[in-house]
Amino acid sequence: MNEHMDKLLIIDDEKGVREYLAAACRRLNFVATTAVGREAVVRKLTTFDPSVILLDLQMPGEDGIQILKVLKDHKSQARVVLMSGLDKRTLATATQLGKIFGLNMDGSLEKPILIGELRRKLCNAKAEHWGVDADQLQEAIARGEIMPSYQPKATRAADGKWSIDEVEVLARWHRQDAEVILPSAFIEIAEEAGLLPALTRSIVRQTLIQLAEWDNQGLNLTASVNLSPSLLTDAGFPEQLSALTEEFGVDNSRLTLELTESALTQNAGLAIEILSRMRIKGHNLAIDDFGTGYSSLEQLYRMPFNELKIDRFLVRDIGTRTEASTIVETIILLGHKLGITVCAEGVETRESLDFLVNAGCDKVQGYYVGRPSSARMVEKRIGEFQQDGFTDNSADLDDNEVRPHAHVAKQPLPAHYN
Ligand code: C2E
Ligand code: CA
Ligand code: CA
């Protein structure tokens, strides 16, 4: 198992809530499992050993307080987050009781649970688990320890042939202890501490240097960078970006910007203005995680997007749930009717790839095409792809991808990062 994935146990009597929470947690790289009733909870505590527990207080069988006792008897060290539609005082009393039991109580979430609050709570739990705080992060950005990882995207040409001519840029924190930390453990902290502009500038700068280097090797690649919503509140952002692309002699059309729905919730007017100006300056704009609660149809006609990325959690279910394949097929049609390029994310198997190719998808990205990896690995992967086309390489790990946490060998950064 990937040890970057912290383990999370959801205890709630409602199936719908359990599924909703599990999906939200998996998106943040948690391995999530669920339980209802004392016996199931006891089983999960011994076999699964969660690091975080989301516990509903009101359940028809054993209620949350009884489960707290079970946790106490098992000397659980997990962080416990209570959930309830009850008033704040009841939640506070239950929290107090958990503390008396010697449990690691981590506050509460009021039901109905807002996705943003859940996200904040879990990211903070993750950051603490990884020993990440804002001061460290600030230093890490200044020292250049937050580096891009590049994940290849394959595109279908007019003649039907596929090639890798794009990468998505994913931030990785290469800590001095040789540990590589994934964005779910630090992006939220960066956002809260106002560090995202600096982090994004650093990632964009390194990406542009890499694009220029690839140009020198005759590899004409484009890159997409993830933008957080808070960057769309600075009217000067498009100019700052253009100054960077100019500095490195890279055409704006070779830098795509990926955004999710939350980009629009803060100051929609300003966000639309900034996005339109970036589009006019020649950048491509991609709507990320499309097809889930994170992105909506409304944005497609309000915003100047020219690429749509189908959420990886939909793509994952293509082979197993007919609803998922129907939705994916329909999104591709919708995108094409709107004149928008469609990319499927999270393609992990030959079966889902075949389905997407048949459905007319324009681009595919996922472990089946290539893992997020160092520039050198991307070059190698492109070479292989030119020779053999799609082959299953989903098990290949790259040198800048996840390292097993506890057993990590102390080793310096790969030479090309120095
Ligand atoms: P995202 O933009 O949706 O990025 C895709 C995520 O899916 C990445 O996770 C990638 O490693 C993972 N992925 C790619 N292919 C597959 C696959 O076949 N199967 C599975 N299971 N997963 C796959 P990662 O790198 O952990 O990034 C998580 C999120 O963090 C990103 O989601 C993005 O929203 C955010 N992020 C990453 N880098 C940056 C950044 O520089 N700035 C900002 N603001 N956000 C970033
Ligand atoms: Ca993305
Ligand atoms: Ca995505």
Side-chain angles (χ1 to χ4, degrees), residues 27 168 226 258 260 288-290 309-312 345:
R27 184 176 290 280
E168 174 170 0
N226 291 284
E258 298 194 1
T260 52
D288 209 351
D289 302 344
F290 192 85
K309 299 190 79 178
I310 308 177
D311 192 83
R312 66 183 192 271
E345 283 193 306

Side-chain angles (χ1 to χ4, degrees), residues 29 151 168-172 182-184 187 196 199-200 203 225-228 258 288-289 312 345-348 365-368 372 401:
N29 291 339
Q151 186 175 33
E168 174 170 0
V169 180
L170 297 157
R172 297 285 181 269
L182 295 177
S184 50
I187 291 290
L196 265 183
L199 189 153
T200 308
I203 288 285
V225 169
N226 291 284
L227 283 195
S228 274
E258 298 194 1
D288 209 351
D289 302 344
R312 66 183 192 271
E345 283 193 306
V347 180
E348 292 187 5
Q365 177 184 349
Y367 296 164
Y368 199 81
E401 186 50 20

Side-chain angles (χ1 to χ4, degrees), residues 258-311:
E258 298 194 1
L259 289 132
T260 52
E261 165 162 51
S262 42
L264 278 187
T265 48
Q266 297 185 354
N267 181 346
L270 182 57
I272 293 176
E273 178 195 320
I274 292 173
L275 290 181
S276 306
R277 290 200 6 251
M278 292 201 290
R279 189 78 192 92
I280 290 165
K281 285 175 181 292
H283 294 289
N284 291 310
L285 296 181
I287 183 166
D288 209 351
D289 302 344
F290 192 85
T292 63
Y294 291 82
S295 290
S296 71
L297 280 176
E298 190 201 356
Q299 294 194 78
L300 270 187
Y301 72 87
R302 284 182 67 196
M303 315 289 275
F305 289 110
N306 53 346
E307 178 172 331
L308 178 163
K309 299 190 79 178
I310 308 177
D311 192 83

Side-chain angles (χ1 to χ4, degrees), residues 75-107:
K75 300 193 171 50
S76 170
Q77 299 291 307
R79 298 166 74 104
V80 181
V81 181
L82 296 176
M83 308 180 290
S84 169
L86 296 172
D87 57 282
K88 282 205 173 74
R89 278 189 44 212
T90 312
L91 276 168
T93 312
T95 304
Q96 202 52 42
L97 186 66
K99 283 185 183 156
I100 292 169
F101 285 170
L103 297 172
N104 182 5
M105 301 305 288
D106 186 22

